[in-house]
Amino acid sequence: MEFDGGRLQDAHVMVVGCGALGNEVLKNLVLMGVGHLVTVDFDYVEDVNLTRSVLFRADDVGGRKVDAVRRRLLEINPRVEVETLFGDISYDVGTALVRSMDVVVGCVDSRWARYCIQRICIRAGRTWVDGGVLGLEGTARVFAPGRNCYACSLGEKGEEELRRRMPCSGVVRRSIRAGHAPVTPLISSIIGAVEAQEAIKVIAGAGQDTSPRMFYYEGETLTVRTPEFGAWDDDCPLHEEEWVPEDGPVTFTVASKVEEVVREGEISLSEPFVDYVINRGTGERYDVMVPAHRVESVLESDPAAGGYPTGMFRAHEYDSVGRDFPYGELTLGEIGIPPRDILKLKTEKGYRFIEIG
Ligand SMILES: [Zn+2]
């Protein structure tokens, strides 16, 4: 198999997670000649990262991981284009941005983050390559829409684990922070290489399709397995149609007011918007006016909330906003829509998809 250098130079790849594994994947993609990268991470470089991650240096400690990897990748190849997105894949990444990628590579360590990557990739019609490392074990898998789905592959135990972290209506949920599992630079190097290889096969396209197998490596006994792997159940809630935006100029941005946009149709929200919460014990009401994932931090920072645990609160929330939404003067950004997203609008004639800036 040969790789077309021009094709790699033109390729756009999003890498989600810039930890030890993401470092390896990014380094490999740049060495292979991939020309355009988008890096996504909400974390900062800590001392403990330095002994595990190929791209971090002592001077980077305290700074954003996305900025540190960008500096280092430009040292390797100054012509590579690296766009940084300091944020969370669950809420801060637009579907249109993912649609502009050739492939997405996941280097995250939580089920919830993987679930969110799968959701946005199905909407964007893009394949993603997932990698996971723990101790001396690692896996790499390719999820192509219509063939493999992360949610369908979970099994009962995994679904239960996911449900506990899933947003569920009426409950103020705890924000999900990735756990810190012990990871060696060796296992990251092995799995990061396989992930980059699979991503490049996806970019290479027709005739060089990725095989429907997963890669499993266990270092202690030097065991490698590549079982066949296909998971696509018809009743999975993530299996949506592809969100193909209408042709034409992009007229709305995250700074556009909700009242202007809802004239085009009712906006479906991936993440509910919460205007207030009620204390289940005292019946008191607190206004929050944020997307659901930010409710906890608002309550914690607000002394008026009285220091109650967030489980004490019931949220009043909107899953969609239409002409009757009482806060039409808010912007799309303020109700939680990320830049370069695709809006799903419900109209009398069915659904429309429009891209925003
Ligand atoms: Zn599924």
Side-chain angles (χ1 to χ4, degrees):
M1 178 173 181
E2 287 188 18
F3 298 114
D4 177 341
R7 201 160 192 163
L8 293 178
Q9 177 62 43
D10 292 339
H12 292 70
V13 181
M14 176 181 286
V15 177
V16 184
C18 295
L21 187 56
N23 269 235
E24 287 290 335
V25 167
L26 286 160
K27 173 212 63 174
N28 291 332
L29 292 174
V30 168
L31 290 178
M32 287 297 290
V34 170
H36 308 269
L37 294 162
V38 176
T39 58
V40 181
D41 199 298
F42 56 77
D43 223 345
Y44 295 87
V45 180
E46 297 175 49
D47 276 322
V48 294
N49 302 133
L50 297 178
T51 53
R52 298 172 189 161
S53 312
V54 67
L55 298 175
F56 297 147
R57 304 289 178 268
D59 286 349
D60 299 324
V61 172
R64 295 171 171 185
K65 286 183 175 175
V66 287
D67 295 332
V69 297
R70 180 173 187 276
R71 280 196 294 275
R72 225 44 33 73
L73 296 173
L74 291 174
E75 284 174 20
I76 298 172
N77 180 357
R79 284 170 303 166
V80 72
E81 180 191 79
V82 185
E83 184 182 334
T84 58
L85 203 162
F86 180 70
D88 190 323
I89 182 65
S90 318
Y91 320 107
D92 302 322
V93 178
T95 308
L97 177 61
V98 175
R99 231 185 123 69
S100 70
M101 298 293 121
D102 292 286
V103 61
V104 174
V105 185
C107 303
V108 297
D109 58 6
S110 81
R111 282 199 170 87
W112 174 239
R114 287 190 174 89
Y115 183 87
C116 291
I117 296 174
Q118 181 65 85
R119 180 173 63 182
I120 200 166
C121 281
I122 286 178
R123 288 175 179 172
R126 291 296 174 267
T127 294
W128 68 288
V129 180
D130 176 52
V133 292
L134 183 66
L136 298 182
E137 276 179 79
T139 57
R141 295 177 289 184
V142 178
F143 293 96
R147 197 173 63 194
N148 278 317
C149 164
Y150 176 69
C152 293
S153 76
L154 278 175
E156 259 177 51
K157 189 159 171 272
E159 280 178 17
E160 177 52 34
E161 159 87 16
L162 180 65
R163 250 194 303 278
R164 276 186 265 127
R165 299 180 159 208
M166 282 277 291
C168 34
S169 190
V171 178
V172 178
R173 61 221 70 155
R174 299 198 69 78
S175 60
I176 307 308
R177 283 260 146 186
H180 289 284
V183 168
T184 73
L186 304 178
I187 192 75
S188 300
S189 183
I190 292 163
I191 298 301
V194 175
E195 280 195 274
Q197 178 85 90
E198 293 297 295
I200 283 162
K201 283 156 70 179
V202 175
I203 294 164
Q208 300 187 331
D209 211 354
T210 49
S211 66
R213 293 179 180 279
M214 70 180 285
F215 177 83
Y216 169 81
Y217 171 87
E218 200 278 294
E220 194 169 346
T221 56
L222 191 56
T223 305
V224 174
R225 288 205 297 268
T226 57
E228 290 218 8
F229 168 65
W232 193 266
D233 301 329
D234 289 338
D235 56 354
C236 174
L238 284 190
H239 300 185
E240 299 179 58
E241 62 182 314
E242 195 175 322
W243 290 20
V244 181
E246 294 170 5
D247 287 336
V250 174
T251 49
F252 297 116
T253 71
V254 285
S256 300
K257 288 191 190 313
V258 169
E259 61 199 7
E260 295 165 27
V261 182
V262 293
R263 289 184 205 128
E264 306 286 325
E266 184 179 312
I267 308 168
S268 306
L269 296 178
S270 302
E271 168 79 351
F273 177 78
V274 179
D275 53 353
Y276 62 85
V277 297
I278 300 282
N279 185 315
R280 294 172 196 273
T282 67
E284 281 178 275
R285 167 180 161 159
Y286 305 98
D287 292 341
V288 287
M289 301 295 284
V290 288
H293 70 274
R294 290 189 47 216
V295 168
E296 185 183 15
S297 63
V298 169
L299 289 176
E300 279 175 355
S301 66
D302 182 4
Y308 290 99
T310 48
M312 279 291 285
F313 297 97
R314 181 172 55 80
H316 180 263
E317 59 188 26
Y318 296 82
D319 292 320
S320 64
V321 299
R323 287 165 187 265
D324 57 350
F325 184 60
Y327 314 105
E329 76 284 1
L330 294 178
T331 64
L332 292 179
E334 285 168 332
I335 63 166
I337 308 281
R340 299 183 68 184
D341 204 10
I342 296 172
L343 296 181
K344 183 178 185 179
L345 301 176
K346 189 176 172 187
T347 73
E348 285 170 5
K349 293 176 186 163
Y351 286 105
R352 296 175 59 193
F353 296 100
I354 63 166
E355 183 171 343
I356 62 157

